[in-house]
Amino acid sequence: MKCRKCTISAVINLRQHRLALCREHFNEWFLGHCASTIRKYGMISPGDRMLIAVSGGKDSLGLWDVLTRLGYQVEGLTIQLGIDEGGQYSAKSLECTHKFAKDRGLILHELNIQQEYGESVPQMLQHARAGEDKPCSVCGLVKRHELNRYTMANGFNVLVTGHNLDDEAAVLFTNSLIWNTSQLGRQLPVMEDRGEFAKRIKPFVRFYERETTAYALLNHIDYIEEECPFSTGSRTNHYKTILNGMEDEHPGLKYRYYLSFIENKKAGLLNFAEDRQYVEYLCDQCGQPTNQPGLCAFCRLVGRKI
Amino acid sequence: MVTLKLREKDYTLPGGIPLSQAFKRLGLDMGSHLAVREGEIITEDRVLQDGDVIKLIPVISGGSQ
Ligand code: SF4
Ligand SMILES: [Zn+2]
Ligand SMILES: [Zn+2]
């Protein structure tokens, strides 16, 4: 297969776009497509102070690289979760992140959950309650809370994350299977600033995961290949595999599934009652938004030490 | 024979088939992996030759949002 733009061999075939590209033209397409996503959804305005959440994986490091190449100044934040069961996941992810930032002279902030709250995420898991009993839901709760807190407390106004189209399609699949209207209402490539919640943007939402992986490989980004030990058998990974099986037979299906959802929402054709733009309560302890009076879910979790 | 390496596992298949066929025979989908031959990512139409060593890179990652 030849590159559509020149005559040399293609390294990747983007079947949903009927586009095969060589390394050079893939890079050019990738930067352009990301820039167009940023414009299309009004993600970044002049004067924004951006903080990107970096895990050491292909998506977050790739995105930091792309934003820098597009001329944006973005500082990084890495959260040490203390996940070291059966390997050195957190330690290795920190190593990749450090190296990436150092090589490019980028500013990296670090937050250590154990130092901050006296417990690592796996320790918190041991006293989690029903509904929080899955590693990823506890970990997700901690990350969401801490990313927002750190962004707000340090003078940033935009939090950037590396979610790709496969991540978003898997979330959409999870939530539409059970018609979780409040979650469906909240799923957008941009979550506007809502007082105590910083604006959140996902500039990689129009890329498939194999494209973000290809970008990292072709640009020699040293990312952590090892997976978090808790991700094996996770529901998200299961749904991603199902969607990829369908995509193999029907190229472009994932792309349309997620992007037409977003387009229809933007056009007002899908209205979810819980599409809330306001915050109901503020946590008594940390002051972050919560949907019930008293303590937020995060403060309840860390308050329940064994 | 062609050797395909995925994480710690090695699979072998006869040469002369395109990469897309190799994926099918191993029960893998193209969306979840990239294939690298001699340091270069290759497209699914490329024919695998006897003696080729192909590294399959899993692309799926992550848990929750
Ligand atoms: S896979 Fe789950 S537990 Fe592991 S880092 Fe991601 S969200 Fe946290
Ligand atoms: Zn080309
Ligand atoms: Zn709180």
Side-chain angles (χ1 to χ4, degrees), chain A residues 58-59 161-174 187 202 204-205 207-209 212 236-237 239-240 243 254 258, chain B residues 59-65:
Chain A
K58 64 188 194 309
D59 298 297
T161 61
H163 294 103
N164 56 47
L165 193 142
D166 293 68
D167 295 324
E168 296 297 312
V171 170
L172 177 58
F173 197 57
T174 310
Q187 194 180 0
K202 303 171 182 175
F204 269 5
V205 286
F207 288 127
Y208 282 2
E209 205 148 30
T212 62
T236 308
N237 287 7
Y239 288 170
K240 280 183 174 180
L243 289 167
K254 255 183 334 192
Y258 172 67
Chain B
V59 307
I60 293 188
S61 65
S64 90
Q65 294 258 323

PDB file of all heavy atoms in Angstrom, chain A residues 58-59 161-174 187 202 204-205 207-209 212 236-237 239-240 243 254 258, chain B residues 59-65:
ATOM      1  N   LYS A  58       1.151   6.352  26.151  1.00  0.00           N
ATOM      2  CA  LYS A  58       1.281   6.900  24.788  1.00  0.00           C
ATOM      3  C   LYS A  58       0.381   8.104  24.539  1.00  0.00           C
ATOM      4  O   LYS A  58       0.763   9.021  23.820  1.00  0.00           O
ATOM      5  CB  LYS A  58       0.944   5.809  23.773  1.00  0.00           C
ATOM      6  CG  LYS A  58      -0.523   5.381  23.907  1.00  0.00           C
ATOM      7  CD  LYS A  58      -0.897   4.197  23.081  1.00  0.00           C
ATOM      8  CE  LYS A  58      -2.392   3.984  22.959  1.00  0.00           C
ATOM      9  NZ  LYS A  58      -3.170   3.970  24.200  1.00  0.00           N
ATOM     10  N   ASP A  59      -0.832   8.095  25.132  1.00  0.00           N
ATOM     11  CA  ASP A  59      -1.774   9.165  24.836  1.00  0.00           C
ATOM     12  C   ASP A  59      -1.358  10.483  25.480  1.00  0.00           C
ATOM     13  O   ASP A  59      -1.281  11.510  24.815  1.00  0.00           O
ATOM     14  CB  ASP A  59      -3.186   8.785  25.304  1.00  0.00           C
ATOM     15  CG  ASP A  59      -3.702   7.558  24.587  1.00  0.00           C
ATOM     16  OD1 ASP A  59      -3.863   7.628  23.360  1.00  0.00           O
ATOM     17  OD2 ASP A  59      -3.917   6.519  25.240  1.00  0.00           O
ATOM     18  N   THR A 161      -6.565  16.378  29.084  1.00  0.00           N
ATOM     19  CA  THR A 161      -6.334  14.942  29.266  1.00  0.00           C
ATOM     20  C   THR A 161      -6.212  14.255  27.907  1.00  0.00           C
ATOM     21  O   THR A 161      -6.707  14.742  26.900  1.00  0.00           O
ATOM     22  CB  THR A 161      -7.456  14.255  30.090  1.00  0.00           C
ATOM     23  OG1 THR A 161      -8.695  14.394  29.393  1.00  0.00           O
ATOM     24  CG2 THR A 161      -7.570  14.825  31.487  1.00  0.00           C
ATOM     25  N   GLY A 162      -5.552  13.107  27.915  1.00  0.00           N
ATOM     26  CA  GLY A 162      -5.231  12.410  26.666  1.00  0.00           C
ATOM     27  C   GLY A 162      -6.259  11.395  26.207  1.00  0.00           C
ATOM     28  O   GLY A 162      -5.919  10.510  25.428  1.00  0.00           O
ATOM     29  N   HIS A 163      -7.509  11.506  26.638  1.00  0.00           N
ATOM     30  CA  HIS A 163      -8.514  10.523  26.199  1.00  0.00           C
ATOM     31  C   HIS A 163      -8.642  10.491  24.683  1.00  0.00           C
ATOM     32  O   HIS A 163      -8.736  11.534  24.048  1.00  0.00           O
ATOM     33  CB  HIS A 163      -9.873  10.844  26.820  1.00  0.00           C
ATOM     34  CG  HIS A 163      -9.889  10.682  28.306  1.00  0.00           C
ATOM     35  ND1 HIS A 163      -9.834  11.744  29.173  1.00  0.00           N
ATOM     36  CD2 HIS A 163      -9.928   9.567  29.065  1.00  0.00           C
ATOM     37  CE1 HIS A 163      -9.831  11.290  30.411  1.00  0.00           C
ATOM     38  NE2 HIS A 163      -9.887   9.962  30.371  1.00  0.00           N
ATOM     39  N   ASN A 164      -8.684   9.280  24.140  1.00  0.00           N
ATOM     40  CA  ASN A 164      -8.822   9.138  22.690  1.00  0.00           C
ATOM     41  C   ASN A 164     -10.227   8.648  22.339  1.00  0.00           C
ATOM     42  O   ASN A 164     -11.052   8.430  23.235  1.00  0.00           O
ATOM     43  CB  ASN A 164      -7.740   8.185  22.162  1.00  0.00           C
ATOM     44  CG  ASN A 164      -7.803   6.833  22.856  1.00  0.00           C
ATOM     45  OD1 ASN A 164      -8.872   6.240  22.996  1.00  0.00           O
ATOM     46  ND2 ASN A 164      -6.666   6.353  23.314  1.00  0.00           N
ATOM     47  N   LEU A 165     -10.476   8.461  21.058  1.00  0.00           N
ATOM     48  CA  LEU A 165     -11.821   8.078  20.619  1.00  0.00           C
ATOM     49  C   LEU A 165     -12.237   6.704  21.161  1.00  0.00           C
ATOM     50  O   LEU A 165     -13.395   6.489  21.507  1.00  0.00           O
ATOM     51  CB  LEU A 165     -11.900   8.103  19.093  1.00  0.00           C
ATOM     52  CG  LEU A 165     -13.311   8.023  18.509  1.00  0.00           C
ATOM     53  CD1 LEU A 165     -13.425   8.912  17.277  1.00  0.00           C
ATOM     54  CD2 LEU A 165     -13.728   6.610  18.150  1.00  0.00           C
ATOM     55  N   ASP A 166     -11.284   5.791  21.261  1.00  0.00           N
ATOM     56  CA  ASP A 166     -11.618   4.469  21.805  1.00  0.00           C
ATOM     57  C   ASP A 166     -12.040   4.556  23.269  1.00  0.00           C
ATOM     58  O   ASP A 166     -12.944   3.845  23.705  1.00  0.00           O
ATOM     59  CB  ASP A 166     -10.439   3.501  21.675  1.00  0.00           C
ATOM     60  CG  ASP A 166     -10.139   3.169  20.224  1.00  0.00           C
ATOM     61  OD1 ASP A 166      -9.692   4.074  19.497  1.00  0.00           O
ATOM     62  OD2 ASP A 166     -10.376   2.019  19.817  1.00  0.00           O
ATOM     63  N   ASP A 167     -11.360   5.412  24.037  1.00  0.00           N
ATOM     64  CA  ASP A 167     -11.753   5.611  25.443  1.00  0.00           C
ATOM     65  C   ASP A 167     -13.182   6.136  25.502  1.00  0.00           C
ATOM     66  O   ASP A 167     -14.013   5.652  26.264  1.00  0.00           O
ATOM     67  CB  ASP A 167     -10.866   6.671  26.126  1.00  0.00           C
ATOM     68  CG  ASP A 167      -9.407   6.251  26.244  1.00  0.00           C
ATOM     69  OD1 ASP A 167      -9.151   5.062  26.458  1.00  0.00           O
ATOM     70  OD2 ASP A 167      -8.529   7.132  26.123  1.00  0.00           O
ATOM     71  N   GLU A 168     -13.448   7.146  24.676  1.00  0.00           N
ATOM     72  CA  GLU A 168     -14.759   7.796  24.711  1.00  0.00           C
ATOM     73  C   GLU A 168     -15.845   6.866  24.202  1.00  0.00           C
ATOM     74  O   GLU A 168     -16.955   6.836  24.744  1.00  0.00           O
ATOM     75  CB  GLU A 168     -14.717   9.081  23.878  1.00  0.00           C
ATOM     76  CG  GLU A 168     -13.772  10.140  24.429  1.00  0.00           C
ATOM     77  CD  GLU A 168     -14.171  10.651  25.807  1.00  0.00           C
ATOM     78  OE1 GLU A 168     -15.351  10.979  25.999  1.00  0.00           O
ATOM     79  OE2 GLU A 168     -13.298  10.715  26.691  1.00  0.00           O
ATOM     80  N   ALA A 169     -15.533   6.100  23.148  1.00  0.00           N
ATOM     81  CA  ALA A 169     -16.537   5.177  22.605  1.00  0.00           C
ATOM     82  C   ALA A 169     -16.864   4.095  23.633  1.00  0.00           C
ATOM     83  O   ALA A 169     -18.025   3.688  23.766  1.00  0.00           O
ATOM     84  CB  ALA A 169     -16.044   4.560  21.298  1.00  0.00           C
ATOM     85  N   ALA A 170     -15.860   3.634  24.388  1.00  0.00           N
ATOM     86  CA  ALA A 170     -16.108   2.607  25.403  1.00  0.00           C
ATOM     87  C   ALA A 170     -16.987   3.162  26.523  1.00  0.00           C
ATOM     88  O   ALA A 170     -17.880   2.474  27.039  1.00  0.00           O
ATOM     89  CB  ALA A 170     -14.789   2.083  25.970  1.00  0.00           C
ATOM     90  N   VAL A 171     -16.766   4.413  26.895  1.00  0.00           N
ATOM     91  CA  VAL A 171     -17.587   5.055  27.932  1.00  0.00           C
ATOM     92  C   VAL A 171     -19.020   5.217  27.417  1.00  0.00           C
ATOM     93  O   VAL A 171     -19.991   4.912  28.116  1.00  0.00           O
ATOM     94  CB  VAL A 171     -17.002   6.440  28.326  1.00  0.00           C
ATOM     95  CG1 VAL A 171     -17.970   7.211  29.206  1.00  0.00           C
ATOM     96  CG2 VAL A 171     -15.676   6.262  29.045  1.00  0.00           C
ATOM     97  N   LEU A 172     -19.136   5.645  26.170  1.00  0.00           N
ATOM     98  CA  LEU A 172     -20.463   5.818  25.582  1.00  0.00           C
ATOM     99  C   LEU A 172     -21.200   4.478  25.522  1.00  0.00           C
ATOM    100  O   LEU A 172     -22.397   4.396  25.815  1.00  0.00           O
ATOM    101  CB  LEU A 172     -20.316   6.411  24.167  1.00  0.00           C
ATOM    102  CG  LEU A 172     -21.598   6.599  23.356  1.00  0.00           C
ATOM    103  CD1 LEU A 172     -22.580   7.505  24.087  1.00  0.00           C
ATOM    104  CD2 LEU A 172     -21.283   7.180  21.978  1.00  0.00           C
ATOM    105  N   PHE A 173     -20.469   3.434  25.175  1.00  0.00           N
ATOM    106  CA  PHE A 173     -21.050   2.089  25.100  1.00  0.00           C
ATOM    107  C   PHE A 173     -21.553   1.666  26.489  1.00  0.00           C
ATOM    108  O   PHE A 173     -22.686   1.241  26.652  1.00  0.00           O
ATOM    109  CB  PHE A 173     -19.970   1.132  24.586  1.00  0.00           C
ATOM    110  CG  PHE A 173     -20.494  -0.175  24.073  1.00  0.00           C
ATOM    111  CD1 PHE A 173     -21.431  -0.211  23.045  1.00  0.00           C
ATOM    112  CD2 PHE A 173     -20.022  -1.379  24.588  1.00  0.00           C
ATOM    113  CE1 PHE A 173     -21.897  -1.428  22.545  1.00  0.00           C
ATOM    114  CE2 PHE A 173     -20.483  -2.594  24.102  1.00  0.00           C
ATOM    115  CZ  PHE A 173     -21.422  -2.625  23.079  1.00  0.00           C
ATOM    116  N   THR A 174     -20.702   1.843  27.501  1.00  0.00           N
ATOM    117  CA  THR A 174     -21.058   1.491  28.882  1.00  0.00           C
ATOM    118  C   THR A 174     -22.335   2.227  29.297  1.00  0.00           C
ATOM    119  O   THR A 174     -23.261   1.628  29.830  1.00  0.00           O
ATOM    120  CB  THR A 174     -19.942   1.951  29.858  1.00  0.00           C
ATOM    121  OG1 THR A 174     -18.703   1.484  29.364  1.00  0.00           O
ATOM    122  CG2 THR A 174     -20.162   1.450  31.267  1.00  0.00           C
ATOM    123  N   GLN A 187     -20.908  13.621  28.985  1.00  0.00           N
ATOM    124  CA  GLN A 187     -19.817  13.223  28.090  1.00  0.00           C
ATOM    125  C   GLN A 187     -19.651  14.172  26.899  1.00  0.00           C
ATOM    126  O   GLN A 187     -20.467  14.187  25.990  1.00  0.00           O
ATOM    127  CB  GLN A 187     -20.059  11.797  27.575  1.00  0.00           C
ATOM    128  CG  GLN A 187     -18.805  11.231  26.923  1.00  0.00           C
ATOM    129  CD  GLN A 187     -18.986   9.819  26.401  1.00  0.00           C
ATOM    130  OE1 GLN A 187     -20.053   9.222  26.510  1.00  0.00           O
ATOM    131  NE2 GLN A 187     -17.930   9.284  25.813  1.00  0.00           N
ATOM    132  N   LYS A 202     -10.241  17.502  25.804  1.00  0.00           N
ATOM    133  CA  LYS A 202      -9.676  16.224  25.338  1.00  0.00           C
ATOM    134  C   LYS A 202      -9.322  16.338  23.854  1.00  0.00           C
ATOM    135  O   LYS A 202     -10.075  15.889  22.997  1.00  0.00           O
ATOM    136  CB  LYS A 202     -10.711  15.103  25.533  1.00  0.00           C
ATOM    137  CG  LYS A 202     -11.189  14.946  26.964  1.00  0.00           C
ATOM    138  CD  LYS A 202     -12.372  13.979  27.037  1.00  0.00           C
ATOM    139  CE  LYS A 202     -12.880  13.859  28.460  1.00  0.00           C
ATOM    140  NZ  LYS A 202     -14.087  13.026  28.554  1.00  0.00           N
ATOM    141  N   PHE A 204      -7.510  14.736  21.865  1.00  0.00           N
ATOM    142  CA  PHE A 204      -7.284  13.504  21.089  1.00  0.00           C
ATOM    143  C   PHE A 204      -8.580  12.741  20.784  1.00  0.00           C
ATOM    144  O   PHE A 204      -8.518  11.628  20.273  1.00  0.00           O
ATOM    145  CB  PHE A 204      -6.308  12.571  21.832  1.00  0.00           C
ATOM    146  CG  PHE A 204      -4.849  12.776  21.471  1.00  0.00           C
ATOM    147  CD1 PHE A 204      -4.446  13.809  20.626  1.00  0.00           C
ATOM    148  CD2 PHE A 204      -3.867  11.918  21.979  1.00  0.00           C
ATOM    149  CE1 PHE A 204      -3.099  13.990  20.299  1.00  0.00           C
ATOM    150  CE2 PHE A 204      -2.515  12.093  21.658  1.00  0.00           C
ATOM    151  CZ  PHE A 204      -2.142  13.125  20.816  1.00  0.00           C
ATOM    152  N   VAL A 205      -9.741  13.337  21.076  1.00  0.00           N
ATOM    153  CA  VAL A 205     -10.987  12.553  20.927  1.00  0.00           C
ATOM    154  C   VAL A 205     -11.322  12.128  19.505  1.00  0.00           C
ATOM    155  O   VAL A 205     -12.200  11.307  19.320  1.00  0.00           O
ATOM    156  CB  VAL A 205     -12.254  13.255  21.478  1.00  0.00           C
ATOM    157  CG1 VAL A 205     -12.288  13.242  22.970  1.00  0.00           C
ATOM    158  CG2 VAL A 205     -12.442  14.627  20.898  1.00  0.00           C
ATOM    159  N   PHE A 207      -9.052  10.753  17.506  1.00  0.00           N
ATOM    160  CA  PHE A 207      -8.051   9.762  17.094  1.00  0.00           C
ATOM    161  C   PHE A 207      -8.380   8.389  17.655  1.00  0.00           C
ATOM    162  O   PHE A 207      -8.738   8.260  18.822  1.00  0.00           O
ATOM    163  CB  PHE A 207      -6.661  10.130  17.634  1.00  0.00           C
ATOM    164  CG  PHE A 207      -6.028  11.306  16.960  1.00  0.00           C
ATOM    165  CD1 PHE A 207      -5.565  12.372  17.710  1.00  0.00           C
ATOM    166  CD2 PHE A 207      -5.879  11.341  15.584  1.00  0.00           C
ATOM    167  CE1 PHE A 207      -4.966  13.470  17.093  1.00  0.00           C
ATOM    168  CE2 PHE A 207      -5.277  12.427  14.963  1.00  0.00           C
ATOM    169  CZ  PHE A 207      -4.817  13.495  15.713  1.00  0.00           C
ATOM    170  N   TYR A 208      -8.173   7.377  16.831  1.00  0.00           N
ATOM    171  CA  TYR A 208      -8.233   5.998  17.323  1.00  0.00           C
ATOM    172  C   TYR A 208      -6.962   5.743  18.129  1.00  0.00           C
ATOM    173  O   TYR A 208      -5.915   6.348  17.880  1.00  0.00           O
ATOM    174  CB  TYR A 208      -8.276   5.002  16.157  1.00  0.00           C
ATOM    175  CG  TYR A 208      -9.607   4.846  15.473  1.00  0.00           C
ATOM    176  CD1 TYR A 208     -10.722   5.596  15.860  1.00  0.00           C
ATOM    177  CD2 TYR A 208      -9.761   3.933  14.438  1.00  0.00           C
ATOM    178  CE1 TYR A 208     -11.938   5.432  15.211  1.00  0.00           C
ATOM    179  CE2 TYR A 208     -10.973   3.759  13.790  1.00  0.00           C
ATOM    180  CZ  TYR A 208     -12.063   4.528  14.178  1.00  0.00           C
ATOM    181  OH  TYR A 208     -13.252   4.356  13.534  1.00  0.00           O
ATOM    182  N   GLU A 209      -7.102   4.776  19.014  1.00  0.00           N
ATOM    183  CA  GLU A 209      -5.978   4.412  19.866  1.00  0.00           C
ATOM    184  C   GLU A 209      -4.772   3.895  19.054  1.00  0.00           C
ATOM    185  O   GLU A 209      -3.630   4.095  19.423  1.00  0.00           O
ATOM    186  CB  GLU A 209      -6.466   3.309  20.803  1.00  0.00           C
ATOM    187  CG  GLU A 209      -5.733   3.188  22.070  1.00  0.00           C
ATOM    188  CD  GLU A 209      -6.628   2.702  23.205  1.00  0.00           C
ATOM    189  OE1 GLU A 209      -7.596   1.956  22.952  1.00  0.00           O
ATOM    190  OE2 GLU A 209      -6.346   3.069  24.340  1.00  0.00           O
ATOM    191  N   THR A 212      -2.833   6.977  17.980  1.00  0.00           N
ATOM    192  CA  THR A 212      -2.004   7.621  19.015  1.00  0.00           C
ATOM    193  C   THR A 212      -0.791   6.734  19.318  1.00  0.00           C
ATOM    194  O   THR A 212       0.291   7.238  19.596  1.00  0.00           O
ATOM    195  CB  THR A 212      -2.797   7.934  20.310  1.00  0.00           C
ATOM    196  OG1 THR A 212      -3.278   6.715  20.878  1.00  0.00           O
ATOM    197  CG2 THR A 212      -3.971   8.856  20.040  1.00  0.00           C
ATOM    198  N   THR A 236     -13.892  -1.561  30.689  1.00  0.00           N
ATOM    199  CA  THR A 236     -13.514  -0.683  29.571  1.00  0.00           C
ATOM    200  C   THR A 236     -12.751  -1.464  28.498  1.00  0.00           C
ATOM    201  O   THR A 236     -13.058  -1.357  27.314  1.00  0.00           O
ATOM    202  CB  THR A 236     -12.626   0.471  30.095  1.00  0.00           C
ATOM    203  OG1 THR A 236     -13.313   1.074  31.180  1.00  0.00           O
ATOM    204  CG2 THR A 236     -12.349   1.492  29.035  1.00  0.00           C
ATOM    205  N   ASN A 237     -11.762  -2.251  28.924  1.00  0.00           N
ATOM    206  CA  ASN A 237     -10.974  -2.998  27.946  1.00  0.00           C
ATOM    207  C   ASN A 237     -11.823  -4.026  27.208  1.00  0.00           C
ATOM    208  O   ASN A 237     -11.644  -4.260  26.020  1.00  0.00           O
ATOM    209  CB  ASN A 237      -9.786  -3.689  28.623  1.00  0.00           C
ATOM    210  CG  ASN A 237      -8.710  -2.691  29.001  1.00  0.00           C
ATOM    211  OD1 ASN A 237      -8.908  -1.480  28.868  1.00  0.00           O
ATOM    212  ND2 ASN A 237      -7.583  -3.170  29.475  1.00  0.00           N
ATOM    213  N   TYR A 239     -15.051  -3.782  26.526  1.00  0.00           N
ATOM    214  CA  TYR A 239     -15.880  -3.073  25.542  1.00  0.00           C
ATOM    215  C   TYR A 239     -15.053  -2.554  24.363  1.00  0.00           C
ATOM    216  O   TYR A 239     -15.512  -2.528  23.229  1.00  0.00           O
ATOM    217  CB  TYR A 239     -16.653  -1.928  26.205  1.00  0.00           C
ATOM    218  CG  TYR A 239     -17.779  -2.409  27.094  1.00  0.00           C
ATOM    219  CD1 TYR A 239     -18.460  -1.532  27.939  1.00  0.00           C
ATOM    220  CD2 TYR A 239     -18.178  -3.743  27.092  1.00  0.00           C
ATOM    221  CE1 TYR A 239     -19.498  -1.963  28.755  1.00  0.00           C
ATOM    222  CE2 TYR A 239     -19.203  -4.185  27.907  1.00  0.00           C
ATOM    223  CZ  TYR A 239     -19.861  -3.299  28.744  1.00  0.00           C
ATOM    224  OH  TYR A 239     -20.870  -3.727  29.548  1.00  0.00           O
ATOM    225  N   LYS A 240     -13.829  -2.139  24.648  1.00  0.00           N
ATOM    226  CA  LYS A 240     -12.976  -1.677  23.545  1.00  0.00           C
ATOM    227  C   LYS A 240     -12.732  -2.813  22.559  1.00  0.00           C
ATOM    228  O   LYS A 240     -12.738  -2.609  21.346  1.00  0.00           O
ATOM    229  CB  LYS A 240     -11.623  -1.192  24.087  1.00  0.00           C
ATOM    230  CG  LYS A 240     -11.660   0.202  24.673  1.00  0.00           C
ATOM    231  CD  LYS A 240     -10.271   0.611  25.120  1.00  0.00           C
ATOM    232  CE  LYS A 240     -10.251   2.051  25.581  1.00  0.00           C
ATOM    233  NZ  LYS A 240      -8.905   2.461  26.029  1.00  0.00           N
ATOM    234  N   LEU A 243     -15.853  -3.365  20.459  1.00  0.00           N
ATOM    235  CA  LEU A 243     -15.995  -2.313  19.439  1.00  0.00           C
ATOM    236  C   LEU A 243     -14.979  -2.507  18.309  1.00  0.00           C
ATOM    237  O   LEU A 243     -15.300  -2.322  17.133  1.00  0.00           O
ATOM    238  CB  LEU A 243     -15.841  -0.923  20.074  1.00  0.00           C
ATOM    239  CG  LEU A 243     -17.017  -0.487  20.971  1.00  0.00           C
ATOM    240  CD1 LEU A 243     -16.643   0.733  21.795  1.00  0.00           C
ATOM    241  CD2 LEU A 243     -18.263  -0.186  20.129  1.00  0.00           C
ATOM    242  N   LYS A 254     -16.812   2.921  14.739  1.00  0.00           N
ATOM    243  CA  LYS A 254     -16.493   3.557  16.036  1.00  0.00           C
ATOM    244  C   LYS A 254     -16.503   5.072  15.920  1.00  0.00           C
ATOM    245  O   LYS A 254     -16.975   5.779  16.793  1.00  0.00           O
ATOM    246  CB  LYS A 254     -15.038   3.162  16.405  1.00  0.00           C
ATOM    247  CG  LYS A 254     -14.889   2.151  17.450  1.00  0.00           C
ATOM    248  CD  LYS A 254     -13.446   1.854  17.833  1.00  0.00           C
ATOM    249  CE  LYS A 254     -12.341   2.079  16.884  1.00  0.00           C
ATOM    250  NZ  LYS A 254     -11.054   1.485  17.282  1.00  0.00           N
ATOM    251  N   TYR A 258     -19.267   7.460  18.058  1.00  0.00           N
ATOM    252  CA  TYR A 258     -18.962   8.494  19.036  1.00  0.00           C
ATOM    253  C   TYR A 258     -19.211   9.897  18.485  1.00  0.00           C
ATOM    254  O   TYR A 258     -19.876  10.713  19.119  1.00  0.00           O
ATOM    255  CB  TYR A 258     -17.510   8.367  19.521  1.00  0.00           C
ATOM    256  CG  TYR A 258     -17.096   9.540  20.381  1.00  0.00           C
ATOM    257  CD1 TYR A 258     -17.678   9.750  21.637  1.00  0.00           C
ATOM    258  CD2 TYR A 258     -16.163  10.473  19.937  1.00  0.00           C
ATOM    259  CE1 TYR A 258     -17.346  10.853  22.407  1.00  0.00           C
ATOM    260  CE2 TYR A 258     -15.818  11.567  20.704  1.00  0.00           C
ATOM    261  CZ  TYR A 258     -16.411  11.753  21.939  1.00  0.00           C
ATOM    262  OH  TYR A 258     -16.087  12.835  22.696  1.00  0.00           O
TER     263      TYR A 258
ATOM    264  N   VAL B  59      -2.514  -1.824  21.470  1.00  0.00           N
ATOM    265  CA  VAL B  59      -2.764  -0.391  21.557  1.00  0.00           C
ATOM    266  C   VAL B  59      -3.800  -0.039  22.614  1.00  0.00           C
ATOM    267  O   VAL B  59      -3.984   1.125  22.959  1.00  0.00           O
ATOM    268  CB  VAL B  59      -3.213   0.213  20.189  1.00  0.00           C
ATOM    269  CG1 VAL B  59      -2.221  -0.149  19.104  1.00  0.00           C
ATOM    270  CG2 VAL B  59      -4.602  -0.224  19.789  1.00  0.00           C
ATOM    271  N   ILE B  60      -4.503  -1.042  23.125  1.00  0.00           N
ATOM    272  CA  ILE B  60      -5.546  -0.760  24.110  1.00  0.00           C
ATOM    273  C   ILE B  60      -4.931  -0.460  25.474  1.00  0.00           C
ATOM    274  O   ILE B  60      -4.072  -1.196  25.946  1.00  0.00           O
ATOM    275  CB  ILE B  60      -6.504  -1.961  24.255  1.00  0.00           C
ATOM    276  CG1 ILE B  60      -7.304  -2.140  22.962  1.00  0.00           C
ATOM    277  CG2 ILE B  60      -7.443  -1.773  25.439  1.00  0.00           C
ATOM    278  CD1 ILE B  60      -8.399  -3.169  23.057  1.00  0.00           C
ATOM    279  N   SER B  61      -5.348   0.641  26.060  1.00  0.00           N
ATOM    280  CA  SER B  61      -4.846   0.902  27.409  1.00  0.00           C
ATOM    281  C   SER B  61      -5.936   1.540  28.253  1.00  0.00           C
ATOM    282  O   SER B  61      -6.910   2.068  27.737  1.00  0.00           O
ATOM    283  CB  SER B  61      -3.634   1.820  27.370  1.00  0.00           C
ATOM    284  OG  SER B  61      -4.006   3.080  26.876  1.00  0.00           O
ATOM    285  N   GLY B  62      -5.709   1.481  29.531  1.00  0.00           N
ATOM    286  CA  GLY B  62      -6.506   2.301  30.438  1.00  0.00           C
ATOM    287  C   GLY B  62      -7.659   1.628  31.128  1.00  0.00           C
ATOM    288  O   GLY B  62      -8.113   0.556  30.752  1.00  0.00           O
ATOM    289  N   GLY B  63      -8.073   2.263  32.183  1.00  0.00           N
ATOM    290  CA  GLY B  63      -9.186   1.772  32.982  1.00  0.00           C
ATOM    291  C   GLY B  63     -10.326   2.740  32.918  1.00  0.00           C
ATOM    292  O   GLY B  63     -11.114   2.711  31.983  1.00  0.00           O
ATOM    293  N   SER B  64     -10.399   3.660  33.875  1.00  0.00           N
ATOM    294  CA  SER B  64     -11.564   4.547  33.921  1.00  0.00           C
ATOM    295  C   SER B  64     -11.200   5.950  33.473  1.00  0.00           C
ATOM    296  O   SER B  64     -10.055   6.270  33.235  1.00  0.00           O
ATOM    297  CB  SER B  64     -12.101   4.617  35.334  1.00  0.00           C
ATOM    298  OG  SER B  64     -11.471   5.672  36.025  1.00  0.00           O
ATOM    299  N   GLN B  65     -12.201   6.766  33.339  1.00  0.00           N
ATOM    300  CA  GLN B  65     -11.989   8.175  32.959  1.00  0.00           C
ATOM    301  C   GLN B  65     -11.487   8.959  34.162  1.00  0.00           C
ATOM    302  O   GLN B  65     -12.066   8.892  35.203  1.00  0.00           O
ATOM    303  CB  GLN B  65     -13.313   8.776  32.519  1.00  0.00           C
ATOM    304  CG  GLN B  65     -13.836   8.144  31.261  1.00  0.00           C
ATOM    305  CD  GLN B  65     -13.579   9.020  30.060  1.00  0.00           C
ATOM    306  OE1 GLN B  65     -13.664  10.205  30.132  1.00  0.00           O
ATOM    307  NE2 GLN B  65     -13.252   8.406  28.970  1.00  0.00           N
TER     308      GLN B  65
END
